[in-house]
Amino acid sequence: MIEWVHPGMVYIFGALLIPLFKGRRRQGYLLLVTLLALSAVFSLSPGQYTVFSYTGKEIILGQVDKLSILFAWVFSLMGLIGTVYALQVRGAGEHVAAFLYVGSALGVVFAGDFLSLFLFWELMAFASAYLVFAQGGKAALAAGFRYLLVHIAGGLCLLGGIVLHYAATGSIQFGPLNGGGAAFYLILTGFILNAAVPPLNAWLTDAYPEATVTGAVFMSAFTTKTAVYVLLRGFPGTEVLIWLGAVMAIYGVIYAVLENDARRLLAYHIVSQVGYMVAGVGIGTEMAVNGASAHAFAHILYKGLLFMGAGAVIFVTGRRKLTELGGLYKQMPVTLFLYMIGAFSISAFPFFSGFVSKSMVIAAATGDGRSLIALMLILASSGTFLHTGLKLPYYMFFGKDSGLKAKEPPTNMLIAMTIAASLCLLIGIFPDLLYRLLPYSVDFHPYTGVHITETMGLLLFTGLGFALFLKHLDPERTISLDTDWFYRTGARWLMWFARRPLTRYEEVVSDFSNSLVLKPHTAIAKLGLWFDQHIVDGVVNGVATGLIRCATQLRQLQSGILSQYALGIVAGLVACLLLYSFL
């Protein structure tokens, strides 16, 4: 009997067979793989599985506990939803990359050691990069290369930290890390880069808008939330994460104000929402860890729904700028309805999923005596509703009629959005379904009179502000610069330096070498060759010629007559005696 089936391996090995199928057979196969992965998650029970030794170190591919099961559930659910949404994609490459992406994210979730974690971590980066490259075009290719380079840099930080951690402890087991030391901060840097913590966030808002319509849905769900998972596993209670998370929450909302690109606006709200989770990890209490985990679960579903809604509009209109959209509510009412469920969820409306998860993080901050952090998170929540719940749908579906001819997206897209929207409502109405999956027992009740009143007051006040200042919120045809400006500008200067000063320096050094080093060496080499050929070879050849002549003469003395040899011997003896007598 098989002890367990790794859900990530179902995706990874399933990806290898995708090119063998076409048409409806491929669609059926894709759905079969996702359902098999879900059934594997359903059968999970806590424990360690697939443990073996490699170079004397214990490798654990199946570290299963409540935290890993929680993330496995939501990753597998999102894998199913994203696959249904992408069924109309004909190319096998996107499907293969998406399955490898989901499978490697699940691999990270169950990794019990740093080696397997790192391998799945890097596979996740390369697989997700393809979802950007697959869009084609100059912008997508450039964004994909920047995305890949940034994640390679983060992977190197992670690998360096792992090596230093092993050198210091002799262990590669993955678990809570003690504060301080180069290994601690290198691993932390590798993790928070994937979490898009400012100023290491621009890769997200740079790449996600350039991905394919279906690829962006997968990307919105896995990379940052996998980073939240490893932070929960390795860095709970790390003080610096509290402030980084709070800053993230505000940072993403502020930049969303400036955005005209629908998916870029949603990408900035990923930064903001992940800020809640990072802050929860930093607080580190049971309530905070539960809140961060619950919010990651809810966020994957409603953010995927929002990207699916925006992607549906882009799919049928070919436009993604808010200044180019408007008046689509009559032609795409179902898409609008489903999108608004995601918008209400991210805005933490009562009876929607965000309400029962986001409030846990804020309550944890308040309970830990961090009132300023709680205030920052509340303000960020207001900004989220302003832009994702009001601004984006208003200018995309209402506002000035753009004159675009549109229709509802393919049925499979609507089905995927319906599944995600249903889960958002299910979690919001029955929060215990989510709370039972959390790492610690939950003693939190979101539906209290005070909490509902405070939340609705804040949301209604935000809605009033939107109505009053609507003209000032009109999107503009501008491009906002983020921290990506530094590596874009830095790369430009680096290329200029490489092409101009560095190349000129190389030319000067080459000329100097040719004129003052190589030419004298060449002349000396020619002189040495002449000396060798005319002097050394002349002496050697002269000696050899003389020896040959002597030998020839000596050969003539060998007549073969014994009497002559005897006479020679006698003459030699006489000569020796005479020489001896004179000496």
Side-chain angles (χ1 to χ4, degrees), residues 24-374:
R24 293 194 176 277
R25 290 185 178 181
R26 177 182 290 170
Q27 293 176 343
Y29 175 74
L30 294 173
L31 293 176
L32 175 63
V33 172
T34 60
L35 292 175
L36 288 174
L38 267 175
S39 65
V41 174
F42 182 79
S43 64
L44 290 175
S45 58
Q48 287 187 347
Y49 306 94
T50 315
V51 181
F52 60 93
S53 179
Y54 177 73
T55 65
K57 303 301 176 184
E58 191 175 58
I59 305 299
I60 305 171
L61 297 181
Q63 182 71 46
V64 183
D65 57 16
K66 294 195 69 175
L67 182 63
S68 58
I69 292 175
L70 171 75
F71 277 83
W73 265 116
V74 71
F75 282 176
S76 298
L77 285 170
M78 196 60 218
L80 170 63
I81 294 169
T83 300
V84 173
Y85 188 78
L87 284 178
Q88 82 286 346
V89 176
R90 295 183 179 180
E94 278 193 63
H95 293 299
V96 172
F99 271 31
L100 291 176
Y101 188 24
V102 180
S104 54
L106 286 165
V108 171
V109 166
F110 292 113
D113 63 277
F114 275 116
L115 178 59
S116 56
L117 183 148
F118 176 76
L119 294 176
F120 285 121
W121 191 265
E122 292 301 286
L123 177 59
M124 187 171 62
F126 282 90
S128 57
Y130 181 84
L131 299 176
V132 182
F133 289 126
Q135 177 63 27
K138 183 178 179 180
L141 292 176
F145 276 116
R146 289 191 294 269
Y147 175 91
L148 199 55
L149 289 172
V150 169
H151 282 280
I152 288 172
L156 289 174
C157 287
L158 176 59
L159 180 60
I162 292 172
V163 171
L164 292 177
H165 175 74
Y166 172 72
T169 65
S171 172
I172 60 170
Q173 300 307 299
F174 178 44
L177 299 172
N178 297 322
F184 178 89
Y185 288 108
L186 280 173
I187 294 173
L188 179 62
T189 300
F191 287 167
I192 66 174
L193 186 146
N194 271 33
V197 175
L200 307 175
N201 65 291
W203 60 266
L204 189 154
T205 51
D206 181 30
Y208 284 22
E210 304 299 338
T212 64
V213 166
T214 55
V217 174
F218 284 99
M219 295 179 77
S220 71
F222 294 103
T223 298
T224 51
K225 265 60 72 181
T226 306
V228 170
Y229 170 81
V230 292
L231 287 173
L232 283 167
R233 182 70 72 188
F235 296 90
T238 302
E239 185 78 14
V240 67
L241 294 177
I242 301 174
W243 291 100
L244 288 175
V247 170
M248 284 179 73
I250 299 293
Y251 187 94
V253 166
I254 291 174
Y255 262 92
V257 176
L258 309 173
E259 274 310 317
N260 183 32
D261 186 300
R263 289 196 297 182
R264 192 170 169 90
L265 187 153
L266 292 175
Y268 271 114
H269 278 293
I270 292 179
V271 176
S272 179
Q273 294 299 298
V274 172
Y276 288 83
M277 306 169 209
V278 172
V281 175
I283 295 170
T285 61
E286 290 188 0
M287 171 73 83
V289 170
N290 277 342
S293 304
H295 200 49
F297 193 104
H299 178 268
I300 288 172
L301 297 174
Y302 65 62
K303 183 57 71 173
L305 176 56
L306 293 171
F307 265 88
M308 285 189 283
V313 171
I314 296 171
F315 183 82
V316 299
T317 66
R319 309 293 178 86
R320 69 188 203 188
K321 304 288 187 181
L322 297 182
T323 50
E324 300 171 347
L325 296 168
L328 299 178
Y329 70 96
K330 294 180 181 180
Q331 303 169 67
M332 304 180 70
V334 178
T335 300
L336 170 61
F337 174 76
L338 295 172
Y339 173 90
M340 290 309 300
I341 292 178
F344 290 144
S345 296
I346 193 175
S347 303
F349 266 78
F351 304 109
F352 293 86
S353 57
F355 181 81
V356 304
S357 61
K358 186 183 294 184
S359 55
M360 291 183 72
V361 180
I362 297 174
T366 303
D368 201 44
R370 302 180 184 274
S371 55
L372 179 58
I373 298 297

Side-chain angles (χ1 to χ4, degrees), residues 315-544:
F315 183 82
V316 299
T317 66
R319 309 293 178 86
R320 69 188 203 188
K321 304 288 187 181
L322 297 182
T323 50
E324 300 171 347
L325 296 168
L328 299 178
Y329 70 96
K330 294 180 181 180
Q331 303 169 67
M332 304 180 70
V334 178
T335 300
L336 170 61
F337 174 76
L338 295 172
Y339 173 90
M340 290 309 300
I341 292 178
F344 290 144
S345 296
I346 193 175
S347 303
F349 266 78
F351 304 109
F352 293 86
S353 57
F355 181 81
V356 304
S357 61
K358 186 183 294 184
S359 55
M360 291 183 72
V361 180
I362 297 174
T366 303
D368 201 44
R370 302 180 184 274
S371 55
L372 179 58
I373 298 297
L375 177 61
M376 294 172 70
L377 297 179
I378 291 172
L379 290 175
S381 181
S382 175
T384 299
F385 177 50
L386 177 64
H387 300 292
T388 305
L390 294 172
K391 176 183 174 179
L392 193 151
Y394 176 80
Y395 289 104
M396 189 160 59
F397 293 102
F398 299 98
K400 183 180 179 180
D401 194 335
S402 60
L404 294 172
K405 294 183 179 180
K407 60 181 180 179
E408 296 289 359
T411 303
N412 64 288
M413 287 185 166
L414 293 177
I415 291 174
M417 294 172 68
T418 301
I419 296 172
S422 301
L423 291 172
C424 289
L425 289 170
L426 188 66
I427 293 171
I429 297 171
F430 303 104
D432 284 342
L433 294 175
L434 174 59
Y435 290 170
R436 285 199 294 266
L437 296 174
L438 298 179
Y440 302 104
S441 60
V442 178
D443 184 18
F444 176 75
H445 304 283
Y447 290 107
T448 63
V450 173
H451 184 210
I452 293 175
T453 303
E454 289 177 348
T455 301
M456 290 306 300
L458 180 65
L459 294 171
L460 291 174
F461 181 78
T462 303
L464 177 62
F466 176 78
L468 293 175
F469 297 99
L470 180 59
K471 292 184 179 180
H472 300 284
L473 295 173
D474 286 347
E476 299 180 2
R477 299 178 185 274
T478 58
I479 298 175
S480 56
L481 295 177
D482 200 346
T483 53
D484 60 335
W485 180 87
F486 292 99
Y487 62 70
R488 288 172 185 261
T489 304
R492 192 176 298 115
W493 279 101
L494 179 62
M495 294 305 297
W496 175 86
F497 178 77
R499 290 171 180 169
R500 297 293 181 84
L502 193 60
T503 303
R504 183 56 185 158
Y505 172 77
E506 189 274 336
E507 290 175 354
V508 171
V509 172
S510 180
D511 292 342
F512 174 81
S513 175
N514 289 334
S515 60
L516 298 181
V517 179
L518 291 181
K519 289 182 178 179
H521 275 85
T522 303
I524 293 172
K526 290 181 178 178
L527 180 61
L529 178 62
W530 180 88
F531 182 82
D532 178 67
Q533 290 177 338
H534 294 82
I535 305 300
V536 176
D537 287 353
V539 172
V540 172
N541 292 339
V543 172

Side-chain angles (χ1 to χ4, degrees), residues 553-573:
Q553 295 297 325
L554 289 173
R555 287 186 61 190
Q556 293 177 0
L557 296 176
Q558 297 178 357
S559 61
I561 301 173
L562 292 177
S563 59
Q564 292 180 355
Y565 291 162
L567 180 60
I569 291 171
V570 171
L573 289 174

